[in-house]
Amino acid sequence: MTLLEIQDLHVDYRIAGGLLPAVRGVDLTVGKGQILGVAGESGCGKSTLAGAVLRLLPASTAVRGRISLHGEDVLGMSWGRLRAVRWSAASIVFQGAMSGLNPVHRIGDQIAEPILLHGTPAQRKAGRKALAGKVGELLESVGVPAWRAQSYPHELSGGQRQRVMIAMALACEPDLIIADEPTTALDVMVQAQVMALLKSLVTERGVGMMLISHDLSVLSHVCDRVAVMYAGRIVEEGPAGTLFTDACHPYAKALAGAFPVIGDMASRRAPRGLPGDPPYPLDLPGGCPFHPRCAVAIEQCATEDVRLRPAAPGRAAACVHVGVASESATALENLR
Amino acid sequence: MTSVHPVLEVRDLHVGFGPRKGGVPEVRAVDGVELTAERGQIIALAGESGCGKTTLARTLLGLAQPWRGQVLYHGTPLDYRNSALKAYRRKVQLVLQDPTGALNPRRTVYEAVAEGLRIHRVPGDERAKVAQALSLAGLRPAENFFGRYPHELSGGQRQRVVIAGALVLNPEVIVADEPVSSLDASVRGEILALLMSLRDELGLTVLVVTHDLGLAWNIADQLAVMYLGRIVEIGRTEQVLAAPKHPYTEALLSVLPETRHREPVILTGEAPDPRHIPDGCRFHPRCPALTDGRAQRAGVADRCVGEPLQMLPLHRAHAAACLLPGHVGDGIAGAAGGVPTGVTAS
Ligand SMILES: Nc1ncnc2c1ncn2[C@@H]1O[C@H](COP(=O)(O)OP(=O)(O)OP(=O)(O)O)[C@@H](O)[C@H]1O
Ligand SMILES: Nc1ncnc2c1ncn2[C@@H]1O[C@H](COP(=O)(O)OP(=O)(O)OP(=O)(O)O)[C@@H](O)[C@H]1O
Ligand code: SF4
Ligand code: SF4
Ligand SMILES: [Mg+2]
Ligand SMILES: [Mg+2]
């Protein structure tokens, strides 16, 4: 049974001006022992997707589609069942989690909390004191010395707090970990350590992971597959190793092209953005939502609802140029 | 403003937390930093998580006070009286590391950006200024974001509101702590390009704390690398990235995907603790040059462990605080380079 399966997910936020469509039809799966990477423009719906999986979005939000965890329908779960599932079956490391710690409690107590509530019966019975060793181990596993359990959040640096949140998400040994920008505040060395830890959970314990990151090099090195989102949809999906070096979708290509490569003189003192405005969810362009910014757009892009289609073996992309021979393919080739 | 002095200068800076013993605080978060930022310079500051970067940034803004050493603005030591600090913070803006913590959840985007204009009673069309700052930061059309609250924004959108709040005052200096870490490569590129054009056109000075060495490669003139409260290496970005001198910098660069052809050096040993700074070179308990015999062969291993190492002085092209030959601590490079005043042993 697939660990996580999402089908045709739609999420609309309720805001003053009406409904804001943040996720507009996403399908994806994460199997046991698999890491799925998710990348995409700021505001394209990645965190919304993550929050939807554990129903952590504001109550007014409209969520449609199907999310199943171990075959169980998440959207139909009772709150009690949902509470039991969070932490122990699936846990999430929130983006910007460093401000998610409670300022008045020591961090050791905060890590122990989910274990006391959702851990094994033995752990729950043993109580807080008995968990000190476990808490220390969790901290050390993310490179934070065990004595930090005694510290308050304000006594920790940004990266230390971020690692505390990762330790907390691992505390109840969940089968699925959703990590939303888990290493943004970490230096490359510590980041490599944390990624190695997460990867070992995946390979040794068969944990499944959804990893949201702007760091394309982390994604291509850590994940099995990667999905690139734009304006609430997946626009390309494929193997992590080649997706960014050989992207099919013009947006995925532009994203990869904007990523600086140290040592490459072309990007020295030449930061690159993407021309045009990011799409505004309340006022999305018709047709392919990328068309106003796309260098290879053709007439039909403004009107046709372009859906994901096979682009190569194991690869899908939502672009009219994909999967057809001739001129279109040449246009794409020239972009490369 | 023109002046013979650098815009910002940091001398012998020591900042700590916790109770003091013999005048020295328990936690020595910044422990001997010298740094200058000239007008129009873009300096990137990298270093291990917990090494003191945010503390240094906060001290530059007068949000924390050093227990030793000082921060100078155009050659004048910071005046910590409220009115003076207020005037200073109109010119020198801080972009905080954590955008969620930096924004007041009960204030709209408009109010968050307009706040600086109101505090400093900036004349002119407030609405137009707020709109311009937001759209420069990539939140377009700006009006669509005016009435939104922080929780109604994505992580990267929040970060851009904080950036807009700094830009709206047309500062002379921006001290930015991981300003673009939650932005995708293309939005990041747009904001970095904006910082560069503000530098080129208006002489903006930027000190940017970042873990992203690609960002340094993208925009920084100089790159400084910190370890346990000190700058251990500084130089032109190209030099530091292409030919790192300090063993810590070497290790850091070795784990980058771009250098996968090199053997990655994963540092072992305890994470450093600013309450117990090692004697000798503060990196020695984890230094690969000490374990692989390089320090031994150079005849410096004993000093690495036992002799206090100088703080890295100012005004050097490319320097590292290390005893290995050719570095500042070796006594040769230091003598030849005309070490300026303010050099002290720790
Ligand atoms: N609670 C909310 N109410 C209304 N709109 C929201 C809410 N949360 C997010 N949004 C909007 O939904 C869209 C998607 O946001 P989301 O946080 O999922 O983006 P993201 O892909 O995670 O971006 P980032 O990379 O910047 O974190 C954005 O346009 C955002 O402004
Ligand atoms: N208020 C405080 N009380 C005690 N210790 C503190 C306090 N603030 C920071 N520290 C400690 O000082 C050191 C430096 O913290 P700082 O936040 O400056 O690090 P940083 O370099 O910004 O790290 P990061 O990259 O993780 O954000 C850390 O070891 C931290 O635990
Ligand atoms: S469908 Fe058209 S507009 Fe969209 S990415 Fe492909 S070429 Fe560009
Ligand atoms: S001084 Fe010695 S211990 Fe310190 S970095 Fe250099 S070689 Fe390593
Ligand atoms: Mg997000
Ligand atoms: Mg910090």
Side-chain angles (χ1 to χ4, degrees):
Chain A
M1 191 174 297
T2 315
L3 181 55
L4 173 69
E5 198 164 354
I6 295 178
Q7 283 163 354
D8 198 27
L9 185 74
H10 292 257
V11 181
D12 297 324
Y13 288 112
R14 214 166 292 279
I15 62 165
L19 286 179
L20 183 146
V23 172
R24 305 184 306 121
V26 163
D27 297 275
L28 60 82
T29 58
V30 181
K32 289 196 184 96
Q34 254 190 15
I35 308 183
L36 172 75
V38 181
E41 196 166 46
S42 171
C44 71
K46 303 178 296 296
S47 300
T48 304
L49 175 64
V53 172
L54 287 178
R55 287 185 31 206
L56 292 161
L57 302 173
S60 63
T61 311
V63 183
R64 277 177 297 132
R66 194 180 152 79
I67 300 172
S68 66
L69 188 65
H70 282 301
E72 198 178 340
D73 173 25
V74 175
L75 296 181
M77 271 179 200
S78 70
W79 287 105
R81 178 70 193 133
L82 200 58
R83 263 194 302 276
V85 163
R86 286 182 197 160
W87 297 105
S88 54
S91 71
I92 180 163
V93 183
F94 288 104
Q95 180 178 26
M98 60 177 81
S99 54
L101 289 162
N102 187 326
V104 302
H105 293 295
R106 293 181 199 272
I107 63 159
D109 291 340
Q110 297 192 53
I111 296 175
E113 197 64 26
I115 310 180
L116 286 173
L117 291 173
H118 308 282
T120 61
Q123 284 173 329
R124 276 180 276 168
K125 216 166 111 215
R128 194 177 296 272
K129 281 242 164 56
L131 285 177
K134 169 88 180 164
V135 167
E137 263 169 45
L138 281 165
L139 282 172
E140 298 270 354
S141 74
V142 291
V144 175
W147 61 265
R148 289 282 188 191
Q150 297 305 315
S151 302
Y152 289 96
H154 77 273
E155 297 173 333
L156 266 56
S157 77
Q160 289 162 343
R161 274 178 278 153
Q162 192 169 38
R163 282 178 280 164
V164 168
M165 296 305 286
I166 296 172
M168 235 159 127
L170 305 181
C172 297
E173 309 190 355
D175 306 320
L176 175 71
I177 297 170
I178 298 174
D180 193 355
E181 299 285 357
T183 59
T184 40
L186 305 180
D187 64 273
V188 287
M189 181 84 55
V190 172
Q191 174 177 306
Q193 285 163 4
V194 169
M195 280 301 157
L197 166 77
L198 294 177
K199 187 111 196 174
S200 75
L201 294 176
V202 169
T203 48
E204 286 158 28
R205 278 207 359 240
V207 167
M209 193 158 106
M210 180 162 134
L211 175 63
I212 299 173
S213 178
H214 289 306
D215 190 334
L216 306 188
S217 75
V218 164
L219 292 180
S220 49
H221 285 93
V222 175
C223 300
D224 302 297
R225 301 183 63 75
V226 173
V228 177
M229 287 181 69
Y230 189 82
R233 281 191 187 160
I234 293 176
V235 294
E236 182 157 2
E237 215 247 305
T242 51
L243 199 141
F244 294 117
T245 50
D246 182 30
C248 297
H249 193 280
Y251 171 70
K253 211 170 291 201
L255 183 67
F259 200 72
V261 177
I262 295 169
D264 171 13
M265 286 316 287
S267 59
R268 176 67 182 140
R269 290 213 170 85
R272 241 177 296 167
L274 189 63
D277 293 338
Y280 185 61
L282 283 185
D283 188 17
L284 285 178
C288 167
F290 189 56
H291 87 258
R293 306 167 86 183
C294 182
V296 292
I298 53 177
E299 224 180 292
Q300 73 191 87
C301 300
T303 49
E304 187 184 321
D305 186 18
V306 189
R307 291 305 185 114
L308 276 179
R309 57 199 72 188
R315 202 58 178 274
C319 173
V320 294
H321 295 303
V322 162
V324 288
S326 77
E327 278 169 56
S328 287
T330 328
L332 266 186
E333 208 49 54
N334 292 340
L335 247 195
R336 253 163 224 169
Chain B
M1 197 192 300
T2 52
S3 105
V4 291
H5 295 285
V7 180
L8 271 184
E9 195 171 348
V10 160
R11 291 213 192 121
D12 189 30
L13 197 76
H14 292 69
V15 190
F17 303 100
R20 297 192 182 193
K21 251 185 241 136
V24 182
E26 184 188 15
V27 181
R28 286 150 64 192
V30 171
D31 195 54
V33 166
E34 303 253 310
L35 190 67
T36 59
E38 307 281 351
R39 179 183 148 85
Q41 214 178 16
I42 301 183
I43 304 176
L45 182 67
E48 188 164 56
S49 171
C51 71
K53 303 178 297 297
T54 296
T55 307
L56 174 60
R58 289 172 48 84
T59 310
L60 284 173
L61 267 288
L63 292 166
Q65 281 202 41
W67 61 272
R68 192 169 126 191
Q70 54 188 193
V71 176
L72 298 103
Y73 173 60
H74 291 290
T76 311
L78 267 200
D79 180 341
Y80 289 92
R81 280 172 304 188
N82 281 339
S83 57
L85 273 184
K86 185 178 157 194
Y88 175 65
R89 291 197 193 123
R90 162 130 199 226
K91 300 278 181 199
V92 181
Q93 282 289 310
L94 178 64
V95 175
L96 284 170
Q97 178 170 16
D98 166 26
T100 307
L103 292 170
N104 182 333
R106 280 179 291 279
R107 292 244 175 92
T108 60
V109 167
Y110 183 91
E111 289 164 340
V113 178
E115 185 182 11
L117 295 172
R118 291 176 187 169
I119 290 176
H120 297 290
R121 304 221 169 85
V122 179
D125 184 345
E126 182 182 280
R127 232 182 124 81
K129 287 193 160 88
V130 171
Q132 195 208 6
L134 283 171
S135 62
L136 281 175
L139 296 174
R140 298 183 291 264
E143 287 76 13
N144 286 344
F145 291 91
F146 277 1
R148 309 265 285 273
Y149 287 89
H151 74 268
E152 297 175 327
L153 300 174
S154 80
Q157 288 166 342
R158 268 176 233 157
Q159 196 159 43
R160 286 179 277 165
V161 173
V162 177
I163 293 170
L167 291 175
V168 76
L169 286 166
N170 294 324
E172 182 185 3
V173 183
I174 290 187
V175 177
D177 197 353
E178 298 283 1
V180 293
S181 61
S182 17
L183 299 177
D184 64 276
S186 66
V187 176
R188 181 185 318 172
E190 180 180 343
I191 292 197
L192 296 182
L194 169 69
L195 290 179
M196 280 192 78
S197 73
L198 291 174
R199 182 269 288 279
D200 295 342
E201 286 154 28
L202 306 170
L204 178 73
T205 304
V206 181
L207 183 81
V208 51
V209 173
T210 183
H211 288 305
D212 178 0
L213 298 168
L215 180 156
W217 178 256
N218 254 179
I219 65 163
D221 306 309
Q222 277 209 316
L223 173 59
V225 180
M226 249 177 115
Y227 183 83
L228 193 45
R230 285 220 175 154
I231 291 177
V232 294
E233 177 155 2
I234 187 165
R236 277 183 34 230
T237 305
E238 291 91 339
Q239 287 178 319
V240 176
L241 290 177
K245 289 179 177 225
H246 195 282
Y248 173 67
T249 318
E250 282 175 7
L252 200 62
L253 295 181
S254 77
V255 299
L256 288 180
E258 284 91 344
T259 57
R260 282 286 147 94
H261 52 280
R262 278 190 231 162
E263 194 55 34
V265 182
I266 300 285
L267 293 177
T268 51
E270 290 261 309
D273 178 356
R275 299 176 310 172
H276 306 285
I277 294 181
D279 290 333
C281 165
R282 60 192 57 214
F283 186 51
H284 89 255
R286 301 168 83 197
C287 180
L290 208 52
T291 40
D292 71 12
R294 265 188 292 163
Q296 191 75 39
R297 283 194 297 280
V300 298
D302 292 343
R303 292 167 63 210
C304 288
V305 177
E307 189 181 296
L309 191 64
Q310 276 185 355
M311 169 165 84
L312 198 60
L314 291 176
H315 305 307
R316 297 203 131 268
H318 180 189
C322 172
L323 294 163
L324 289 173
H327 298 176
V328 152
D330 70 0
I332 307 163
V339 178
T341 54
V343 182
T344 38
S346 65

